Amino acid sequence: MEKATGRIMEKIRAIPGAVDDHIRAGRTVACNVSRTVIGVARQRYRDARRDRTDRTSPLTAAPLGCVPRKAHRLLRRACLYYQLAADQGYSDAQCNVGICYFNGEGVEKNLFEAFRYFQLAANQGHLEAQFNIGNCYEYGKGVEKNLFESFRYYQLAANQGNSDAQFNIGNCYFNGIGVEKNLFESFRY
């Protein structure tokens, strides 16, 4: 595991130069670069949490919300690369930047910015972003609570095959959330 992590880290260290070369040449930045960086950062975060909880005394363990310095640096870098790709109009990257802002991974938590990036991706038909917009409207995260809009975005995601959105649509019909109560439609979803 340590050798594999070392090889991945070598590749990640080479990423900034390659990305800069792509930007200088006017080419697009691939989203998988960001996925690699954020995946390694999350793995380091999980490893650090596991190491803290494996210690014998719970009093010496760091708080669970504490992110190791290297993992935080990697998350910031991943969010930067997502941002570069999002600025070029990639809906996957726009959704991922929204997730970074929503969870506060690599950037300061900002629900309004998260909603804005989800909206950009959802307008391009991005499935996960449409579902996330539905959640934002349902719970009032980054936008004023609006159950009708929530239902509409869940419907868009459900029509593309998102099972979570389909469940939420069924729940909306069952409980009359943002739509008239309809048990038949609830059962259908």
Side-chain angles (χ1 to χ4, degrees):
M1 173 85 177
E2 190 64 37
K3 286 183 182 180
T5 304
R7 278 183 263 140
I8 291 172
M9 289 308 298
E10 286 174 22
K11 289 180 182 177
I12 288 174
R13 285 188 197 102
I15 289 172
V19 171
D20 290 340
D21 291 343
H22 277 279
I23 292 170
R24 272 189 239 112
R27 288 179 282 202
T28 58
V29 179
C31 290
N32 62 354
V33 168
S34 302
R35 287 188 187 111
T36 302
V37 174
I38 207 165
V40 170
R42 284 185 177 149
Q43 184 59 47
R44 287 220 172 169
Y45 176 64
R46 282 192 294 270
D47 291 347
R49 282 184 67 178
R50 187 186 63 239
D51 291 346
R52 280 193 207 105
T53 55
D54 286 348
R55 295 184 183 146
T56 54
S57 171
L59 298 175
T60 61
L64 290 179
C66 181
V67 179
R69 190 175 304 153
K70 280 188 176 180
H72 187 69
R73 216 173 27 240
L74 287 171
L75 285 170
R76 277 197 326 253
R77 185 181 292 171
C79 191
L80 171 72
Y81 295 143
Y82 279 139
Q83 184 73 52
L84 291 171
D87 291 343
Q88 296 174 16
Y90 288 104
S91 61
D92 284 341
Q94 290 167 340
C95 184
N96 287 330
V97 169
I99 291 169
C100 288
Y101 275 115
F102 193 85
N103 296 327
E105 293 180 334
V107 293
E108 191 172 321
K109 187 172 183 170
N110 185 336
L111 297 178
F112 298 105
E113 279 295 302
F115 181 81
R116 187 173 75 83
Y117 278 101
F118 288 148
Q119 189 73 51
L120 289 171
N123 289 342
Q124 295 183 48
H126 192 275
L127 173 69
E128 186 180 353
Q130 290 171 341
F131 177 75
N132 290 338
I133 288 281
N135 277 330
C136 288
Y137 274 122
E138 183 175 4
Y139 299 107
K141 303 275 186 170
V143 68
E144 189 176 321
K145 189 173 182 176
N146 185 334
L147 298 177
F148 297 109
E149 283 296 307
S150 172
F151 179 81
R152 188 171 77 82
Y153 277 97
Y154 284 149
Q155 187 105 44
L156 289 172
N159 290 342
Q160 291 186 54
N162 185 309
S163 60
D164 292 328
Q166 291 169 346
F167 174 80
N168 286 357
I169 288 288
N171 188 43
C172 287
Y173 275 122
F174 187 79
N175 295 310
I177 300 171
V179 68
E180 189 175 318
K181 190 172 185 175
N182 186 333
L183 295 180
F184 176 74
E185 285 295 319
S186 172
F187 179 74
R188 197 173 75 109
Y189 280 96

